[in-house]
Amino acid sequence: MPPTFSQISSDFLSVKSRSDLAGWLGVSERALRYILYKLPDERKYSTFEIKKRNGNARVIDAPSPALKFLQSKLAETLSEIAPPRQLAKGYVRERSIFDHAKVHRSKRWLVLADIKDFFPSINFGRVGVFRAAPFSFGHEVAVCLAQLCTKGGQLPQGAPTSPVISNIVCRRLDRELLELSKRSRCSVSRYADDVCFSTNTRDISARVADFVGEAGWVPGLELKSVFQRNGFQINPNKFMVRCGRERKLVTGLSVNSGVSIPRSWRRQLRSALHVIRKYGEVPGDSIVLSWRPAFQRGSAVNIGQVIRGKVRYAHWIDRLAGRGSVEALHRNYRAGSMG
């Protein structure tokens, strides 16, 4: 039985031409042509950098308000027509980093594989998924959609369509990862570019990870093959295997015993709260940042805001995990207590 879509999605699937697409988007064909072919990228997007956890810069391309409006309408509809597979946990409504980590809690083995250059790997040609089922658009419409959703031939990190399209492009990858996990007696999940396998078997399958002399742990041949067939590469610098009582982190959460915030993270936050309470917010700001500049990311300068965000995050994880491990933080510091 074919799936039933909302009227707006059914209308989208009925688009046959650029003129039809413009009408569905709510703009004139002339305006759509201007956005696609006349407006330069520097006017379509504002480019800036934010710091990643490791201190490196992540380039963000934020679309202009008009382009963002069109991309947002597209993103909502694409999500309904081609929902991600169950193992995909990133960029999916009602799924989160907690769901990604929960799959791998309390397992003997944990294998972490990072997709190298995830968004840049999804280029203009691969956005040709619009010509395949369930969309099956003709050449003209498929090209217009690809142009509307790419910058310089790649998915821009910052556009509302990019996460949705990445999950659509990864549908075959996700299916093959699931098949590999079944052959290897593993659990698997993917959060954007972060792919995790885990198992309680005595040994990890060489299909997934192999120990090679001085090189140590390397991706298994079948795992590498799955990524390569789907146009991706594993980042060798971020490939990791953990076993037994070794520290196991999935998207920043500890999964050694259930799912929880790492002890080092909690200790750091507890110490920061103590300093703020003892010395006040302004002097405490300098003290906390002198310990570890990376305590706050981006350009934020208000340490109170940073701490409030961390406390809310801790409370959210605590609630999902059904734990009381951060309750002491809640008693000592209420999220709204600092200006």
Side-chain angles (χ1 to χ4, degrees):
M1 182 177 178
T4 302
F5 298 122
S6 65
Q7 187 61 51
I8 192 171
S9 293
S10 297
D11 291 345
F12 177 68
L13 291 173
S14 299
V15 166
K16 302 297 183 185
S17 65
R18 184 173 58 209
S19 177
D20 289 347
L21 178 60
W24 182 84
L25 288 169
V27 298
S28 67
E29 184 180 2
R30 180 179 180 182
L32 181 59
R33 287 202 310 268
Y34 177 76
I35 292 172
L36 294 179
Y37 307 119
K38 297 293 185 180
L39 198 64
D41 280 348
E42 55 267 27
R43 290 184 60 191
K44 291 181 186 177
Y45 295 91
S46 297
T47 302
F48 57 93
E49 295 182 348
I50 60 173
K51 285 186 179 179
K52 297 193 287 188
R53 291 184 184 276
N54 60 11
N56 294 335
R58 173 180 283 119
V59 177
I60 301 296
D61 292 301
S64 66
L67 181 57
K68 184 178 180 179
F69 174 80
L70 302 181
Q71 290 177 339
S72 296
K73 184 174 183 178
L74 264 176
E76 190 73 22
T77 302
L78 295 176
S79 296
E80 180 185 2
I81 296 172
R85 298 189 186 278
Q86 185 58 38
L87 70 80
K89 307 300 182 184
Y91 313 132
V92 183
R93 188 173 296 166
E94 297 183 357
R95 300 182 202 172
S96 66
I97 60 170
F98 182 86
D99 298 291
H100 182 45
K102 185 171 66 172
V103 174
H104 310 286
R105 64 191 185 278
S106 307
K107 296 292 184 69
R108 174 179 173 83
W109 291 94
L110 178 70
V111 178
L112 305 170
D114 182 86
I115 301 176
K116 185 177 181 181
D117 299 327
F118 182 56
F119 278 120
S121 296
I122 303 174
N123 54 35
F124 183 90
R126 297 186 69 185
V127 183
V129 292
F130 290 125
R131 301 189 65 179
F135 305 106
S136 303
F137 289 122
H139 178 75
E140 181 183 56
V141 175
V143 168
C144 286
L145 289 170
Q147 291 171 326
L148 199 59
C149 299
T150 56
K151 178 194 175 191
Q154 299 176 343
L155 285 186
Q157 192 158 0
T161 42
S162 294
V164 179
I165 291 174
S166 72
N167 277 335
I168 293 173
V169 169
C170 286
R171 281 182 61 83
R172 193 182 81 166
L173 169 68
D174 291 343
R175 175 175 56 79
E176 293 188 14
L177 288 173
L178 182 59
E179 292 170 351
L180 174 59
S181 73
K182 290 179 178 178
R183 292 195 300 272
S184 307
R185 298 174 62 192
C186 290
S187 300
V188 64
S189 64
R190 179 181 63 82
Y191 191 96
D193 58 355
D194 183 87
V195 177
C196 297
F197 290 84
S198 62
T199 183
N200 278 323
T201 57
R202 179 178 177 181
D203 298 305
I204 189 69
S205 171
R207 295 184 177 98
V208 174
D210 200 9
F211 192 83
V212 183
E214 294 182 359
W217 288 105
V218 298
L221 292 179
E222 287 194 36
L223 180 60
K224 288 177 62 176
S225 179
V226 167
F227 280 101
Q228 289 169 355
R229 279 198 305 273
N230 287 276
F232 294 110
Q233 290 184 326
I234 297 174
N235 187 336
N237 298 323
K238 293 186 177 181
F239 185 80
M240 291 185 289
V241 178
R242 297 288 183 262
C243 181
R245 295 185 178 180
E246 289 182 300
R247 187 184 188 215
K248 301 184 183 78
L249 294 178
V250 176
T251 48
L253 296 174
S254 172
V255 295
N256 285 69
S257 178
V259 180
S260 63
I261 291 173
R263 290 181 182 177
S264 59
W265 195 97
R266 295 199 306 269
R267 284 197 300 266
Q268 182 190 71
L269 181 54
R270 186 178 295 112
S271 298
L273 294 176
H274 174 74
V275 168
I276 297 297
R277 285 195 306 271
K278 184 174 181 179
Y279 298 103
E281 186 170 346
V282 175
D285 188 323
S286 299
I287 295 172
V288 171
L289 292 180
S290 69
W291 296 342
R292 183 182 177 187
F295 185 83
Q296 62 175 340
R297 299 166 63 190
S299 59
V301 294
N302 187 329
I303 197 67
Q305 291 180 351
V306 175
I307 293 177
R308 276 196 297 274
K310 288 179 177 288
V311 170
R312 292 190 184 103
Y313 171 75
H315 178 73
W316 175 64
I317 295 296
D318 205 36
R319 177 175 55 81
L320 291 175
R323 288 174 172 264
S325 56
V326 295
E327 187 58 34
L329 294 179
H330 303 166
R331 289 196 302 268
N332 293 331
Y333 174 82
R334 297 296 174 183
S337 64
M338 295 183 65

